[in-house]
Amino acid sequence: MSGKKYEYIGKREIYRRAENVLHIELPGLKELAYSQFEGCEWLESSTIKITSQAGGTWIGVTDSKEHSSEILCNYSGGVFKTHYVNGADIKRKADTEAEERLIRLLGLDLDNLGGDVEKQHKQQVRI
C-alpha cells in the first residue's frame, strides 16, 4: 500500500480555521499542545480542546472552563458551511452583511456609474 493514509492540516491551520469563526476565545497558539492519531489531530490546553477530522473539514472545540462547545462542518472554499454552538445551528459571523453587500454590488449599473451612484443605490434599496 503506497501513499498517505490520512491527511493532516497541522497546528497552525487548525488554529487559523478555528480562530476565524469561533465564538469561544482561544489562548495563544504557543499555549496549545498538538497531537495526531489515525486521521484525527487536536490542539489542547488545560481548558480548550480543538479537534480536527477529515483533513480539517470538521473541527470541534470544547471549552471546559465556560462549559461550551462549537462544531464547524463542511469546510469548502475557505469557509465552514455549518456552525453549531452548544448544539444549536447558527449562521456564520457577518454572513448576512456580506450577502447584502454582494446583492447591492451586483445590482449596480456599472456602465453608468458616472454621476449618480447614490441615486442608483437608493433605487435598489427600494426594490
Side-chain angles (χ1 to χ4, degrees), residues 5-124:
K5 196 172 185 181
Y6 304 107
E7 178 185 345
Y8 298 102
I9 60 174
K11 180 177 182 174
R12 284 188 180 94
E13 184 62 16
I14 292 171
Y15 189 85
R16 185 192 67 75
R17 289 183 187 187
E19 182 181 45
N20 286 338
V21 292
L22 288 178
H23 292 85
I24 295 172
E25 187 174 333
L26 296 177
L29 183 60
K30 291 182 180 180
E31 297 173 42
L32 298 166
Y34 175 77
S35 302
Q36 66 184 35
F37 181 75
E38 292 191 7
C40 296
E41 54 190 325
W42 59 94
L43 300 171
E44 194 168 16
S45 73
S46 60
T47 58
I48 297 281
K49 185 171 185 176
I50 305 169
T51 307
S52 173
Q53 294 179 353
T57 59
W58 180 96
I59 291 180
V61 181
T62 304
D63 184 345
S64 60
K65 184 178 171 185
E66 298 293 326
H67 305 288
S68 63
S69 66
E70 296 191 33
I71 297 174
L72 307 163
C73 308
N74 305 324
Y75 187 81
S76 177
V79 296
F80 287 99
K81 307 289 187 215
T82 312
H83 187 174
Y84 298 94
V85 176
N86 296 327
D89 189 4
I90 63 165
K91 287 283 192 182
R92 291 167 285 154
K93 288 182 183 177
D95 189 42
T96 55
E97 291 176 15
E99 287 177 10
E100 288 173 10
R101 284 195 306 271
L102 181 60
I103 289 168
R104 277 188 258 131
L105 286 171
L106 290 173
L108 287 176
D109 183 2
L110 299 178
D111 293 330
N112 297 314
L113 281 178
D116 220 341
V117 175
E118 183 76 26
K119 185 176 179 182
Q120 286 183 27
H121 181 271
K122 285 180 183 177
Q123 287 174 345
Q124 289 177 340

